[in-house]
């Protein structure tokens, strides 16, 4: 079954054209081929850059990405989110981060 991995990247650039070209270079550089668990060859192929969003200021808490999802069962969806958050918090408290 075809899979597509959309990624939102933060890119520093002088202007829109530079940002677009830089995003394309990153995408092409990160294309990959490998064998999956069944030893079947998998190829991640970069398609293209489809959006640019200029950030005037990098503000703490600024929204970078948003997507509306529709779910069949809201209770299950909320439960899964809370489980993921609990695991994330647990992972954060178990690791020591060294900042330079």
């Amino acid at each position: 079954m075809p899979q597509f991995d959309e990624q939102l990247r933060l890119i520093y650039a002088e202007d829109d054209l530079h940002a677009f070209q830089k995003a394309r270079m990153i995408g092409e550089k990160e294309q990959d081929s490998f064998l999956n668990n069944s030893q079947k060859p998998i190829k991640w192929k970069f398609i293209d850059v489809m959006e640019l969003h200029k950030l005037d200021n990098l503000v703490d808490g600024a929204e970078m990405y948003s997507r509306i999802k529709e779910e069949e069962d809201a209770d299950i969806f909320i439960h899964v989110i809370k489980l993921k958050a609990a695991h994330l918090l647990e992972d954060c408290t178990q690791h020591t981060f060294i900042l330079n």
Side-chain angles (χ1 to χ4, degrees):
M1 173 178 287
Q3 292 182 339
F4 298 91
D5 179 18
E6 288 185 19
Q7 297 182 1
L8 177 65
R9 301 270 184 148
L10 187 60
I11 295 175
Y12 177 78
E14 298 167 9
D15 55 39
D16 289 351
L17 179 58
H18 185 226
F20 184 80
Q21 291 171 335
K22 196 171 179 181
R24 271 189 164 170
M25 286 181 3
I26 291 169
E28 289 169 359
K29 181 178 136 192
E30 293 198 1
Q31 295 182 114
D32 196 13
S33 296
F34 56 93
L35 298 176
N36 67 7
N37 294 342
S38 303
Q39 299 302 307
K40 179 180 177 185
I42 302 294
K43 182 173 183 176
W44 285 107
K45 183 178 178 187
F46 173 69
I47 298 172
D48 214 336
V49 176
M50 62 182 204
E51 293 182 43
L52 288 176
H53 300 279
K54 184 177 181 181
L55 301 176
D56 292 319
N57 296 313
L58 293 178
V59 179
D60 188 31
E63 182 176 293
M64 301 262 316
Y65 177 77
S66 176
R67 179 174 71 165
I68 304 294
K69 290 185 68 166
E70 294 183 3
E71 296 290 330
E72 294 279 328
D73 190 322
D75 292 333
I76 291 175
F77 181 73
I78 291 167
H79 180 71
V80 168
I81 295 295
K82 290 184 179 190
L83 284 175
K84 287 180 180 181
H87 288 291
L88 181 60
L89 178 59
E90 183 178 327
D91 286 347
C92 290
T93 57
Q94 290 180 358
H95 299 309
T96 303
F97 297 96
I98 300 172
L99 302 176
N100 292 330

